[in-house]
Amino acid sequence: MKRIMIDASKCDGCKNCELACMDSHRKDGKEGVITLDFTNPETVARNGIYNDGNGGYLPHFCRHCSKPACAESCMSGALVKDPETGHVKYDENRCGSCFMCVMNCPYGIPKVDAARVKIIKCDFCNDRPEGPACVAACPKKAIWVEEV
């Protein structure tokens, strides 16, 4: 299984990973962070960089946990752990909008979308053969993909 690994001590809070995530998941047909529309409620990163309060930063990424609380609490079966890849996958067509996954994830990763009808969660950029956009965008190599 491949997972995103984090070394918070290398993170300088540039948020390139967030911008790359937003760009990778946009639906307007454009490319490049310079053309992102931040007034569009669909422009949301599936990861996050937060200030730790001590001059450092806390990179927040989906762990695709071995025992994912988000998937275990999903009553509709919209979130399932793929036994082949180990990634927690989301099927928005099955989502009942109960948001139990949001309440139960110990890392605070799934987010409710602006319309409050689905969640927004890391999909490991499975449509990108080169891997997650966030990892490619990190200039400090604070995040990387590793086989676990």
Side-chain angles (χ1 to χ4, degrees):
M1 283 183 262
K2 292 182 178 180
R3 293 213 176 128
I4 295 174
M5 307 305 283
I6 303 166
D7 181 348
S9 70
K10 292 182 180 179
C11 180
D12 66 1
C14 72
K15 297 189 180 251
N16 282 357
C17 56
E18 286 184 20
L19 292 169
C21 181
M22 290 175 194
D23 189 44
S24 177
H25 291 91
R26 66 195 307 178
K27 294 173 177 56
D28 62 7
K30 297 178 183 175
E31 287 185 25
V33 296
I34 196 77
T35 61
L36 281 170
D37 178 5
F38 294 103
T39 64
N40 181 343
E42 295 277 318
T43 305
V44 179
R46 285 142 173 81
N47 55 33
I49 304 299
Y50 303 99
N51 189 315
D52 71 0
N54 296 312
Y57 297 93
L58 298 170
H60 240 90
F61 292 84
C62 183
R63 305 279 200 275
H64 294 282
C65 303
S66 298
K67 286 188 65 172
C70 62
E72 289 176 356
S73 64
C74 181
M75 297 181 282
S76 66
L79 283 170
V80 294
K81 185 163 182 72
D82 183 323
E84 194 173 303
T85 64
H87 299 150
V88 178
K89 296 192 174 193
Y90 173 63
D91 179 353
E92 80 177 64
N93 295 318
R94 294 191 68 166
C95 184
S97 303
C98 69
F99 307 124
M100 291 299 291
C101 56
V102 175
M103 292 183 270
N104 283 290
C105 174
Y107 302 104
I109 297 300
K111 301 173 187 175
V112 179
D113 77 321
R116 301 194 57 79
V117 295
K118 64 181 181 178
I119 64 159
I120 298 166
K121 186 201 154 309
C122 173
D123 59 6
F124 211 79
C125 289
N126 283 321
D127 59 341
R128 287 175 43 100
E130 63 274 25
C134 58
V135 171
C138 182
K140 300 290 185 172
K141 306 297 181 214
I143 54 175
W144 67 94
V145 172
E146 190 172 294
E147 191 77 33
V148 294

